[in-house]
Amino acid sequence: GIIMIVNVECGFLTPPFGYALFYLKGVAPPEVSTSDIYRGAIPYWEIMELGLIIVVIFPQTITWLPTILVK
């Protein structure tokens, strides 16, 4: 479930279904172009993809923090 949710979140930041990008374009000043918004979202998308890769390679990272908090 976690992998699916992170994948969906990545979809919100990438075209063609970048809902977050289109929302930002709607609230941004007119001088901000769509390409500026795309370029600004790339670092966040890369961080999410890195997190997705870590979770796929090391699935125990998903339950690490809850396990520590329950103890």
Side-chain angles (χ1 to χ4, degrees):
I2 300 292
I3 293 171
M4 184 183 75
I5 294 298
V6 173
N7 248 345
V8 169
E9 288 175 1
C10 287
F12 287 147
L13 289 177
T14 57
F17 300 110
Y19 298 118
L21 301 174
F22 294 123
Y23 172 77
L24 286 173
K25 178 61 179 162
V27 298
E31 61 269 4
V32 177
S33 69
T34 306
S35 62
D36 291 335
I37 294 173
Y38 287 166
R39 277 184 267 140
I42 288 173
Y44 297 100
W45 175 77
E46 288 174 343
I47 291 170
M48 289 173 56
E49 288 294 318
L50 177 65
L52 185 63
I53 291 168
I54 290 170
V55 167
V56 168
I57 295 173
F58 305 108
Q60 65 272 18
T61 58
I62 296 171
T63 58
W64 171 75
L65 184 60
T67 302
I68 289 180
L69 292 176
V70 170
K71 288 183 181 178

